[in-house]
Amino acid sequence: MKVLVAVKRVVDYNVKVRVKADNSGVDLANVKMSMNPFCEIAVEEAVRLKEKGVATEIVVVSIGPTTAQEQLRTALALGADRAILVESAEDLTSLAVAKLLKAVVDKEQPQLVILGKQAIDSDNNQTGQMLAALTGYGQGTFASKVEVNGDSVAVTREIDGGAQTVSLKLPAIVTTDLRLNEPRYASLPNIMKAKKKPLESVTPDALGVSTASTNKTVKVEAPAARSAGIKVKSVAELVEKLKNEAKVI
Amino acid sequence: MTILVIAEHDNKALAPATLNTVAAAAKIGGDIHVLVAGQGAGAVAEAAAKIAGVSKVLNADNAAYAHQLPENVAPLVAELGAGYSHILAAATSNGKNILPRVAAQLDVDQISEIISVESADTFKRPIYAGNAIATVQSTAAIKVITVRATGFDPVAAEGGSAAVEAVAAAHDAGTSSFVGEELAKSDRPELTAAKIVVSGGRGMQNGDNFKHLYALADKLGAAVGASRAAVDAGFVPNDMQVGQTGKIVAPQLYIAVGISGAIQHLAGMKDSKVIVAINKDEEAPIFQVADYGLVADLFEAVPELEKLV
């Protein structure tokens, strides 16, 4: 079966971001960018399904600026067969991204679509669920285990109190949680080979999708800073401070 | 303006996060209705009717809603929600699972995990693991929003007397089915609602050593949490994880033991009122957010702390 994986180019998770002085957003100039960690897990899961003989082709798709080609090449080096870039310079909402992915799904007809559970920049946790709504497919969000059996997929999900398993009819949408797998690293020969794999570029207009949004970011501020704390010398002093100064115990 | 709040429940009891979500709805202003979608959840509907400020409870009782499968619940919420100005759910694993599906069905953008209400159409929410706060305005006819429970003080669970109305609408998409679940058992308070949280990290070295934290937690009436490192190392189950990818907590007191304080962990606890860090590495980033820091070996400090409190 064909598996479609969506990946996002985001600021690297180790970077401590700074808010711009004019409060228009976060300063991303000259900041290291990477593939969203949850998307790496999605690519890895697709590659493992291919290694098990379940998946026959892995198509990786990204929606973003021209530079998102780097993340698509990374996915190709990890084992994806071909890539699609939907080029859009503007910051799109999850709904717009879901609509663009729906257009790609309509064209590619994958049996399984794997996305990360959330992107670490916008922290929305919406796109997979929205794509499921638009396609009418079942959704297995926050997956920690994925097992394809014939025409259905069993997904074990991380929920607040523990774990839950659901069975979805294929085609279906799965979003990955951290514990689904440990992503591999791309080897140098595979990085070289990935340069020759096909990468197709399309525009939202060509897909016939409007990316208009009902949300507007008015401003972005730095969070309130915590006032500096103190170091105590002993456990006794700590208990004394908690009881008499902070009055929390 | 009428606001629809989706009740968080397990068919038996109403989850406390619902009270925080109703508090957010009250800040927006207007009539507040609560939807209980489940199976045999009459007790939950009655509990919802008693919440202060709620004027009507819709009880959708159907086998298709028993496990809150989003394929079945989302069409119900989208159908009922069409007449409302706002649809709110707690940013729990259920709320996060169902609400974006509702938003897409209604063709509107969603606003995730709001921490404050600025006006009926403008909200604040954290982005970049809590390192920036965005103010977002929605022009959608129906505003679909998930609420971070720790951002709002819960409303009173008693005092209301809303009418409970049965909803007949049944949606069974037939694309998904519930297979089973495995819930972690715990007698301690629920992590996201606890007044005190004691968390352990990689410095705990193994799962057995968490007994020191359990002993301290029991003495304080606290919940026990963990960093991702402790979960990945198999010390504790993953539902104990605090952080960007785990649970967001904001207790009165957060005690971080053997936790370095990575950005992703801080995202889950830095709104705690008082933060205490116990770590033997005085350079650990956790000390930059801790109100009280103790540079010490946790295996000596924690048992001593337990004796003194």
Side-chain angles (χ1 to χ4, degrees), chain B residues 276-297:
Chain B
V276 169
I278 301 176
N279 204 304
K280 64 180 174 193
D281 174 12
E282 62 180 313
E283 303 294 322
I286 191 78
F287 286 119
Q288 290 162 20
V289 300
D291 298 280
Y292 302 106
L294 175 64
V295 181
D297 181 354

Side-chain angles (χ1 to χ4, degrees), chain B residues 253-269:
Chain B
L253 172 62
Y254 188 90
I255 306 179
V257 182
I259 293 177
S260 65
I263 297 174
Q264 292 79 5
H265 185 75
L266 299 183
M269 46 64 81

Side-chain angles (χ1 to χ4, degrees), chain A residues 170-191:
Chain A
L170 292 175
I173 312 283
V174 168
T175 74
T176 63
D177 216 319
L178 279 174
R179 260 163 296 277
L180 180 58
N181 60 47
E182 189 137 331
R184 69 192 69 188
Y185 292 98
S187 67
L188 188 59
N190 285 344
I191 292 171

Side-chain angles (χ1 to χ4, degrees), chain B residues 112-128:
Chain B
S112 292
E113 301 216 23
I114 62 162
I115 52 168
S116 87
V117 173
E118 302 297 295
S119 70
D121 67 357
T122 307
F123 309 89
K124 283 194 177 179
R125 62 176 300 262
I127 53 176
Y128 291 90

Side-chain angles (χ1 to χ4, degrees), chain A residues 27 60-61 74 77 92 121 133 167-168 187 239 242:
Chain A
D27 194 356
V60 60
V61 55
T74 303
L92 300 176
D121 51 0
S167 172
L168 311 170
S187 67
V239 172
L242 290 178

Side-chain angles (χ1 to χ4, degrees), chain A residues 157-164, chain B residues 10 12 93 178 180-186 237 239:
Chain A
R157 310 176 50 236
E158 293 196 5
I159 58 170
D160 287 337
Q164 176 195 64
Chain B
D10 60 358
K12 295 183 202 85
S93 55
F178 173 82
E181 66 187 2
E182 222 176 292
L183 301 178
K185 289 194 179 71
S186 172
D239 57 299

